[in-house]
Amino acid sequence: RKYIVESVLYWAEEYHIDGFRWDLVGLIDYETINDVMAAVHAVNPDIMFYGEGWDNYGTNMEGYDTTTQYNHWKVPSFAFFNNTLRDALGGNESKDNGEWGFAMGSSEKAETVMYSMRGMNSWASNPNQTINYVSCHDNYTLIDKIIISRNGAYWDQMVKMNNMSAALYMLAQGIPYIYSGEELLREKKDEWGNRYHNTYDSSDYITKIRWDDLVNKELAQVTDDYYAGLVAF
């Protein structure tokens, strides 16, 4: 615990890092996380802490309460990825079967979206504990998920689904998280059109952001008008 606290405090003071994203924070006990935040916030109270609060399927440490979503009340200054809203909007990311989310037309997900919009997730004490998103580095990009789920839909319909998803998670109570390139309708696919999910070890061809696509007026409208407009709002 001492090593972790002093390391994070050093990074905050020496390199002026203003946010720390914890991968699988559910593997760390909540007392350590609280000690880290107390030390860092004494230097800069605006530094953000958030991460993956999954329950890790029984890998929690015996005798310790870990930093999971369901222990949210023990770490009131820590925020968690809102997989509840992600799955309700875009379909369950653990399934590659093209499951529809609310944005694709699944009305049965509407109530879950409504509760997340109001910041009323069962695993959060307040909206500042929720990181609202619909795509991330180890998921399909938003437009890829829509294409897989709504194969056969017209392109302009899928763009509208993308934009509605963005509006809902960005305007929901909580903290919006935009995956890099989502505003460019970024696709992660290879030369043969195969789309990829977790691309940590994929080639540049698959993972690159295609800035040249901005010459497309329709795409520029999504980027400059819709996403930028939501951020400004």
Side-chain angles (χ1 to χ4, degrees):
R1 179 178 298 165
K2 181 176 184 291
Y3 178 71
I4 293 172
V5 171
E6 291 182 353
S7 295
V8 179
L9 182 60
Y10 176 79
W11 296 327
E13 291 185 310
E14 183 70 17
Y15 299 108
H16 309 289
I17 294 172
D18 58 6
F20 292 91
R21 185 268 197 199
W22 297 69
D23 193 82
L24 295 179
V25 72
L27 293 173
I28 303 178
D29 68 282
Y30 78 91
E31 293 177 86
T32 296
I33 292 297
N34 278 333
D35 283 358
V36 169
M37 292 191 294
V40 171
H41 284 157
V43 174
N44 182 352
D46 295 326
I47 291 178
M48 175 187 263
F49 289 87
Y50 68 104
E52 297 175 329
W54 324 136
D55 64 11
N56 302 304
Y57 308 102
T59 58
N60 292 338
M61 297 178 289
E62 185 176 352
Y64 291 89
D65 282 338
T66 51
T67 314
T68 63
Q69 287 176 333
Y70 296 102
N71 283 328
H72 59 87
W73 56 278
K74 297 179 179 179
V75 282
S77 298
F78 195 92
F80 298 100
F81 279 104
N82 187 353
N83 58 317
T84 305
L85 181 59
R86 178 200 68 191
D87 292 348
L89 276 179
N92 193 324
E93 276 292 349
S94 65
K95 300 176 181 177
D96 290 341
N97 60 0
E99 178 183 283
W100 287 18
F102 178 74
M104 291 86 163
S106 174
S107 58
E108 65 185 39
K109 307 287 180 66
E111 187 173 7
T112 302
V113 172
M114 179 189 71
Y115 277 107
S116 275
M117 288 289 295
R118 296 163 64 187
M120 296 173 64
N121 299 292
S122 61
W123 46 262
S125 301
N126 61 76
N128 285 333
Q129 282 194 295
T130 71
I131 302 292
N132 297 323
Y133 73 114
V134 74
S135 60
C136 189
H137 66 280
D138 52 3
N139 303 148
Y140 287 114
T141 66
L142 176 54
I143 196 64
D144 277 346
K145 186 70 168 64
I146 292 170
I147 291 170
I148 291 168
S149 302
R150 290 302 307 265
N151 184 28
Y154 290 112
W155 176 249
D156 63 333
Q157 292 176 321
M158 292 192 288
V159 171
K160 288 178 180 178
M161 294 173 192
N162 182 98
N163 290 349
M164 184 174 71
S165 299
L168 289 171
Y169 81 76
M170 276 202 238
L171 301 181
Q173 290 288 313
I175 302 165
Y177 174 105
I178 307 172
Y179 182 31
S180 180
E182 184 187 291
E183 75 283 6
L184 299 171
L185 302 181
R186 176 185 177 189
E187 299 174 73
K188 294 193 294 188
K189 61 182 182 179
D190 60 22
E191 298 92 326
W192 301 277
N194 300 307
R195 299 178 190 277
Y196 289 80
H197 189 263
N198 193 348
T199 51
Y200 72 96
D201 60 351
S202 297
S203 67
D204 288 346
Y205 185 90
I206 294 169
T207 59
K208 67 182 178 182
I209 296 175
R210 294 166 172 79
W211 298 104
D212 291 344
D213 287 350
L214 280 175
V215 298
N216 181 314
K217 291 183 179 179
E218 181 186 43
L219 179 56
Q221 188 176 29
V222 172
T223 306
D224 298 335
D225 295 344
Y226 207 86
Y227 274 78
L230 284 170
V231 171
F233 183 83

